[in-house]
């Protein structure tokens, strides 16, 4: 107990008051339930409200849970359940293509690979899961970035873009055009941009709110991938769409 911050613990206890009740609470009622002074409760509420964890009803001055908690809950569900949820789809795609299949999610201004199924070929490409990449740097990352807000896209591309090969996109305008093509086509296809001799195909995954928060990709040696490009594109798009549909997307 000595290692706990009392202020943080009090804030957590306050938030937990709402677990067993959907009603709004006033300062006096919270003060009684937590056995704290009204002044201390008011400071907690103001702090939590400033971060979106609590919101005040302007009509009756009562407090209820804020939308930041909903966002955090959705993030937990997405990040922690997506691996188990998507695993059968990844395996099916890997069985069909015999190439590396990856699942990538959005995290701030980066993309993180959270799961993969390796190719059985002796000559193959590899990705380390839980590795973080800039949103412009891989086929899966760009498939996510293309469907984000203009503000996020501008923020990501306003920074100097790191190049990985002589074929990497260096200019923001060129990258914006590429993102526009992804939006129009519904997928990303790239060769040599991240690693010379490697081709990636990726498609976005949408949630029930039609927001793109993840992407599915297959990656392999260009010579082998190019033998089945259109077939693999269709496989990736169909699988990503199936995952999206099963997450509640209506295919908008």
């Amino acid at each position: 107990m000595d290692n706990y911050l009392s202020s943080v613990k009090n804030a957590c206890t306050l938030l937990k008051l709402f677990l067993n009740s959907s009603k709004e609470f006033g300062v006096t009622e919270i003060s009684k339930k937590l056995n704290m002074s009204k002044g201390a409760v008011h400071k907690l509420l103001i702090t939590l409200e400033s971060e979106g964890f609590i919101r005040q009803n302007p009509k009756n001055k009562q407090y209820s849970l804020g939308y930041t908690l909903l966002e955090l809950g959705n993030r937990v569900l997405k990040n922690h359940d997506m691996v188990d949820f998507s695993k059968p789809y990844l395996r099916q795609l890997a069985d069909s293509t015999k190439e590396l299949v990856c699942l990538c999610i959005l995290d701030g201004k980066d993309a993180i690979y959270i799961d993969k199924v390796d190719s059985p070929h002796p000559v193959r490409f590899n990705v380390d899961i839980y590795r973080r990449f800039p949103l412009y740097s891989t086929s899966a990352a760009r498939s996510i970035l293309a469907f984000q807000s203009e503000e996020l896209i501008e923020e990501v591309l306003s920074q100097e873009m790191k190049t990985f090969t002589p074929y990497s996109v260096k200019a923001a305008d060129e990258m914006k055009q590429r993102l526009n093509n992804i939006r129009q086509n519904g997928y990303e296809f790239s060769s040599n941009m991240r690693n010379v001799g490697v081709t990636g195909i990726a498609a976005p995954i949408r949630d029930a709110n039609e927001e793109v928060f993840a992407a599915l990709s297959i990656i392999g040696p260009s010579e082998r991938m190019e033998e089945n490009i259109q077939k693999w594109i269709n496989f990736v798009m169909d699988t990503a769409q199936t995952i999206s549909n099963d997450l509640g997307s209506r295919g908008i």
Side-chain angles (χ1 to χ4, degrees):
M1 293 294 291
D2 292 338
N3 292 326
Y4 295 163
L5 285 173
S6 59
S7 59
V8 176
K9 185 173 178 62
N10 288 337
C12 293
T13 303
L14 189 157
L15 292 172
K16 287 181 179 179
L17 288 178
F18 295 88
L19 289 177
N20 299 317
S21 176
S22 60
K23 63 176 287 189
E24 298 173 328
F25 291 114
V27 173
T28 300
E29 188 174 7
I30 294 174
S31 175
K32 291 179 180 178
K33 288 180 177 294
L34 298 184
N35 194 27
M36 294 173 58
S37 69
K38 292 183 181 180
V41 168
H42 187 259
K43 287 181 179 179
L44 280 177
L45 289 168
I46 293 299
T47 302
L48 291 169
E49 185 180 18
S50 70
E51 297 297 328
F53 292 99
I54 287 288
R55 58 194 179 104
Q56 186 183 50
N57 185 330
K59 295 182 179 180
N60 59 18
K61 305 303 180 183
Q62 300 277 297
Y63 291 89
S64 60
L65 294 178
Y67 291 113
T68 295
L69 290 168
L70 179 62
E71 295 171 354
L72 289 172
N74 284 335
R75 176 59 62 90
V76 170
L77 289 174
K78 289 176 184 177
N79 289 4
H80 291 270
D81 291 348
M82 262 312 274
V83 172
D84 290 338
F85 178 84
S86 302
K87 180 65 79 175
Y89 303 98
L90 269 65
R91 287 176 175 160
Q92 183 177 12
L93 184 58
D95 288 342
S96 299
T97 63
K98 299 297 188 292
E99 299 295 352
L100 170 66
V101 176
C102 296
L103 178 65
C104 182
I105 63 167
L106 173 68
D107 186 54
K109 291 184 286 185
D110 295 320
I112 300 177
Y113 286 86
I114 61 171
D115 199 17
K116 67 172 182 175
V117 178
D118 287 317
S119 167
H121 291 294
V123 178
R124 60 189 180 185
F125 186 70
N126 183 54
V127 166
D128 296 327
I129 59 171
Y130 306 122
R131 186 173 178 185
R132 184 179 295 269
F133 292 93
L135 279 171
Y136 57 77
S137 63
T138 71
S139 58
R142 290 189 294 274
S143 290
I144 296 174
L145 179 60
F147 296 92
Q148 301 309 305
S149 67
E150 288 297 324
E151 291 78 11
L152 179 57
I153 292 175
E154 288 291 339
E155 187 175 357
V156 170
L157 300 185
S158 66
Q159 307 297 317
E160 182 178 358
M161 288 189 290
K162 181 179 179 181
T163 58
F164 304 94
T165 75
Y167 307 97
S168 298
V169 174
K170 303 176 180 65
D173 288 344
E174 185 180 352
M175 182 59 71
K176 289 178 182 179
Q177 183 56 55
R178 191 171 193 94
L179 296 177
N180 186 55
N181 292 339
I182 295 172
R183 286 190 291 272
Q184 292 181 354
N185 297 329
Y187 68 90
E188 165 71 319
F189 164 79
S190 64
S191 293
N192 303 316
M193 289 179 61
R194 184 66 177 77
N195 296 274
V196 174
V198 175
T199 291
I201 302 169
I205 295 174
R206 299 178 183 273
D207 62 16
N209 296 318
E210 306 303 335
E211 295 180 354
V212 172
F213 72 98
L216 182 72
S217 65
I218 61 173
I219 310 169
S222 297
E223 184 176 354
R224 193 166 64 225
M225 290 279 288
E226 289 171 0
E227 295 176 358
N228 298 282
I229 284 298
Q230 192 56 55
K231 186 177 181 181
W232 288 176
I233 288 173
N234 292 338
F235 279 3
V236 172
M237 292 183 67
D238 289 347
T239 304
Q241 186 62 60
T242 299
I243 295 174
S244 298
N245 291 345
D246 288 346
L247 287 171
S249 170
R250 300 179 302 278
I252 296 176

